[in-house]
Amino acid sequence: MDDVDWERLIDQLGRGDCAPFLGAGACAGTLPTGTVLSNQYALRYGYPFSDVGDLARVMQYGEAVVRDPVDLKETVCVHLRSHGRPPSGDPGEPHRLLAGFPLTTFLTTNYDDFLAEALRAEGKEPHVAVSRWWDTDPVAALPLPEPTVERPVVYHLHGSWAEPASLVLTEADYLTYLVNMVDAVATDGRHPLPTPILRAMTTRPLLFVGYSLQDWTFRVLFHGLVRNTPRSNKRRHVSVQLMPEINGAAGDPGSAEDKARRYITHYLDRWNISIFLGTASEFCAELQRRMGGMP
């Protein structure tokens, strides 16, 4: 991100012309990362393969051990809830900071309720909705109320810990999710996302916080939206993400990091995405610094 990117983003946040899209990195320091969670459950269920950091595969194995997918998801929800909540007194905490802007639509692939709670702390009345990714029946996709600043919508694309059965958790869940997303559009042009959510994703700039753009769910969903959005309506997005692990065997680590940075910038620029390489907390601190305080 350069100064132009920051000025544009601050202006968009101030007038509510932005849709935050939160991933696991927004909960860093409060909830375990996917890799940590994967290793914990690999140990718990005696996962016999080497890819212990692949959460979806580990959980697929866990389902075979438990023999009840909903029970497995209940266990995960209880475990995540036991880690507590983000510090309520920190104005730079990602959920708290974003909740202070006049935004109407919030998207997340996280299971937690941190966004809704942060919005309530700001005196707002969020409408929380959960994707029915497992159901291709158009009747199942209940209409959402038109979001407003006072009553914003928080949309959980991968389920919510308030409804454990809704979690996209195992490898089979992810495959079903992707297939249903693609098939619904391919067969009759109907998109499985509710109209207010689809409108936000196709007409507003997205602010990805703590979300890996290497995730296949994002790539399939976002690429499909970008492809079907007229060029004249395409917006410039921002992504906050960590630098991927560098291959030390590739030569000088500094040179490898420069190559990785150039590649990521080039790759995401094709999708009209500017990047901030760092943690969600670092991004929030820089945003506050450039704004001169709270929104």
Side-chain angles (χ1 to χ4, degrees):
M1 294 180 66
D2 57 21
D3 289 341
V4 172
D5 289 319
W6 281 109
E7 291 171 7
R8 185 184 62 252
L9 175 62
I10 290 171
D11 183 53
Q12 291 168 346
L13 288 169
R15 67 174 188 264
D17 183 25
C18 183
F21 198 130
L22 272 63
C27 304
T30 302
L31 298 182
T33 65
T35 301
V36 169
L37 193 65
S38 183
N39 278 273
Q40 290 173 342
Y41 277 87
L43 182 62
R44 176 171 181 165
Y45 294 121
Y47 185 69
F49 307 108
S50 61
D51 54 346
V52 293
D54 190 320
L55 182 60
R57 289 187 177 181
V58 169
M59 288 305 185
Q60 190 67 53
Y61 183 83
E63 180 183 317
V65 173
V66 176
R67 303 179 191 174
D68 185 328
V70 178
D71 187 74
L72 174 66
K73 294 174 183 182
E74 291 269 9
T75 301
V76 170
C77 290
V78 170
H79 177 63
L80 291 176
R81 285 175 179 271
S82 71
H83 285 78
R85 313 188 68 79
S88 58
D90 181 6
E93 195 278 321
H95 303 87
R96 168 83 182 276
L97 181 61
L98 291 172
F101 291 103
L103 305 172
T104 63
T105 307
F106 296 80
L107 310 164
T108 180
T109 52
N110 297 337
Y111 309 140
D112 60 78
D113 60 359
F114 299 162
L115 259 177
E117 286 301 303
L119 289 163
R120 293 188 184 102
E122 291 290 330
K124 301 174 183 179
E125 300 178 18
H127 177 88
V128 180
V130 180
S131 168
R132 295 182 64 83
W133 52 270
W134 61 88
D135 198 337
T136 57
D137 183 352
V139 178
L142 299 176
L144 292 180
E146 193 62 31
T148 65
V149 173
E150 295 75 21
R151 296 185 175 181
V153 167
V154 177
Y155 193 76
H156 289 263
L157 287 99
H158 283 182
S160 164
W161 65 19
E163 302 176 33
S166 70
L167 266 57
V168 179
L169 181 65
T170 68
E171 197 169 44
D173 290 338
Y174 280 95
L175 290 173
T176 300
Y177 183 94
L178 293 175
V179 167
N180 286 349
M181 281 286 180
V182 173
D183 282 356
V185 179
T187 54
D188 57 10
R190 176 184 59 82
H191 205 285
L193 292 175
T195 300
I197 303 303
L198 184 61
R199 186 192 313 126
M201 294 185 71
T202 54
T203 65
R204 292 182 183 170
L206 302 176
L207 170 59
F208 300 98
V209 180
Y211 192 83
S212 171
L213 299 184
Q214 297 172 333
D215 184 281
W216 275 105
T217 300
F218 163 79
R219 293 168 73 175
V220 170
L221 182 60
F222 186 74
H223 181 70
L225 293 173
V226 170
R227 182 182 58 192
N228 294 319
T229 301
R231 184 175 181 81
S232 60
N233 292 341
K234 290 183 179 179
R235 308 297 299 273
R236 185 77 184 179
H237 312 289
V238 170
S239 172
V240 180
Q241 61 177 309
L242 293 172
M243 171 69 77
E245 185 175 349
I246 301 300
N247 179 12
D252 175 58
S255 174
E257 182 170 333
D258 287 341
K259 289 179 180 178
R261 188 183 298 270
R262 288 197 299 270
Y263 169 74
I264 294 172
T265 301
H266 172 73
Y267 180 80
L268 297 183
D269 191 62
R270 295 185 305 165
W271 286 4
N272 245 21
I273 300 176
S274 299
I275 62 170
F276 175 90
L277 287 174
T279 66
S281 295
E282 290 169 343
F283 169 79
C284 289
E286 180 63 13
L287 177 62
Q288 286 182 300
R289 187 189 71 80
R290 287 176 176 263
M291 292 181 61
M294 288 293 292

